[in-house]
Amino acid sequence: MKNIFLSTVLLLSSLGLFSNCNQSNGSKKTTGTAASAAKPGAEAEPADTTTIVKNNYPPINKAQYDSLMKRMAHGDTTGKWPVKNAPYPLPGAIFPYKRVIAYYGNLYSKKMGILGELPPREMLAKLKGELKSWQRADPTTPVQPALHYIAVVAQGDGGKDGKYRYRMPFKQIDSVLAIAKKINALVFLDVQVSLSNIQTELPLLEKYLIMPHVHFGMDPEFSMKDGSKPGKKIGTYDASDINFASNYLAGLVKKHGLPPKVLIVHRFTKKMVTNYKNIKLRPEVQIVMDMDGWGEPDLKEGTWRYFIYNEPVQFTGFKLFYKNDIKKAPHHMLTPEEVLKKKPYPMYIQYQ
């Protein structure tokens, strides 16, 4: 297995498919490769979702929730935010009570993100520094650490079934869970399906998704519905794919008495998510459209405006790249204070 994986890594590295969420700029014009009227202290903070097994949280205070959602809209007057007619979440929801700060990557590769680039102790120390920065930037919203792990990786070799994806061994997921436990972090399991599909890959992770602190991410960039090899063009998901994932997660929540799951959907082009208005919202799942573009600040602003702000789903995320965001002038990665100028406030922040 080790030899097989090493050969896979070498091939992936040569093809550039270890996901840099490859944008030539913030607007991702390059091709792909592989909370307030109510004070926070007015009510007890939501219970710790990393250690509670059953959903025994107090009922949602609807007035407080509405107040926090209004705050999240950050003064938007267009009527887009907060999203209308969204259901109240089940008790134990993370958003809008907390802002998640996540480190993204894979333990096998230093090229896929900060999660695998640094040794665990150094990586966690750096993440703790980011948590402090975000808490200073917005003292009213508690921060929640997370590790966002790529559990299914797009690759340049078709493999035995010709699906061009490599499923990481469960032993590595166990390692990520152990690392996350050190700082009481959430864990997100992310999939790049390539020529497979979300209907096949998601259920294979169920043994982890029934854990209350484990959530899910799906990356349209590597969903190659037309049969193209990953990395040749940018892939796509339809609302029907997102609804499948949401419905599946909702089923786990109801069956096992869990707090709501978070579903992250990465996006940096219009075609990456089709028919967004048909995405169904559920009390059991909180959907985050994550702005996944890299590049200079102006280009990231354009990506945010056109594909996240203008096509509202429920909650928003913003991705920051330690290396790619500073490649071009002004060679500047946005600070928490700068990101918090966005409307609505991003509630999920991811570092790669």
Side-chain angles (χ1 to χ4, degrees), residues 219-274:
D219 194 344
E221 180 179 0
F222 300 102
S223 171
M224 316 311 296
K225 290 181 177 294
D226 63 356
S228 301
K229 294 182 181 180
K232 300 297 183 182
K233 59 191 297 188
I234 295 170
T236 184
Y237 275 130
D238 185 68
S240 60
D241 297 302
I242 297 170
N243 288 340
F244 169 83
S246 175
N247 183 59
Y248 191 95
L249 294 173
L252 297 182
V253 169
K254 288 183 282 190
K255 181 179 179 180
H256 298 280
L258 302 171
K261 290 295 177 184
V262 176
L263 173 58
I264 305 293
V265 182
H266 305 288
R267 189 177 191 188
F268 51 81
T269 71
K270 187 174 184 64
K271 291 183 179 180
M272 283 179 74
V273 176
T274 56

Side-chain angles (χ1 to χ4, degrees), residues 83-287:
V83 173
K84 294 181 175 61
N85 302 318
Y88 288 102
L90 293 183
I94 294 173
F95 305 125
Y97 303 101
K98 294 182 178 182
R99 175 173 287 112
V100 173
I101 312 298
Y103 265 12
Y104 173 95
N106 184 287
L107 297 182
Y108 279 148
S109 173
K110 294 184 178 182
K111 296 183 178 181
M112 295 180 75
I114 191 67
L115 175 55
E117 182 178 346
L118 299 177
R121 182 176 296 183
E122 293 179 34
M123 180 268 295
L124 292 179
K126 189 174 180 68
L127 176 54
K128 287 179 181 179
E130 298 294 2
L131 291 169
K132 291 179 181 179
S133 296
W134 280 96
Q135 197 65 81
R136 284 195 301 267
D138 181 9
T140 64
T141 306
V143 293
Q144 169 65 54
L147 300 183
H148 196 117
Y149 164 74
I150 312 169
V152 180
V153 183
Q155 63 171 345
D157 181 80
K160 291 183 178 180
D161 61 1
K163 298 301 183 182
Y164 291 88
R165 53 88 181 89
Y166 183 77
R167 295 171 181 151
M168 296 295 112
F170 285 165
K171 186 175 295 186
Q172 196 193 79
I173 299 180
D174 294 339
S175 295
V176 174
L177 290 171
I179 295 170
K181 188 175 181 179
K182 295 179 184 296
I183 59 169
N184 202 31
L186 304 176
V187 172
F188 288 83
L189 299 181
D190 203 277
V191 299
Q192 301 173 353
V193 300
S194 291
L195 272 65
S196 182
N197 54 61
I198 200 69
Q199 291 80 4
T200 299
E201 303 300 329
L202 171 54
L204 299 178
L205 297 169
E206 181 172 321
K207 64 177 282 189
Y208 294 106
L209 292 169
I210 63 175
M211 298 177 182
H213 66 300
V214 178
H215 303 272
F216 189 68
M218 51 195 297
D219 194 344
E221 180 179 0
F222 300 102
S223 171
M224 316 311 296
K225 290 181 177 294
D226 63 356
S228 301
K229 294 182 181 180
K232 300 297 183 182
K233 59 191 297 188
I234 295 170
T236 184
Y237 275 130
D238 185 68
S240 60
D241 297 302
I242 297 170
N243 288 340
F244 169 83
S246 175
N247 183 59
Y248 191 95
L249 294 173
L252 297 182
V253 169
K254 288 183 282 190
K255 181 179 179 180
H256 298 280
L258 302 171
K261 290 295 177 184
V262 176
L263 173 58
I264 305 293
V265 182
H266 305 288
R267 189 177 191 188
F268 51 81
T269 71
K270 187 174 184 64
K271 291 183 179 180
M272 283 179 74
V273 176
T274 56
N275 300 308
Y276 82 95
K277 291 183 179 180
N278 295 335
I279 295 173
K280 184 176 180 180
L281 302 182
R282 313 170 194 273
E284 302 86 2
V285 179
Q286 298 189 294
I287 299 178

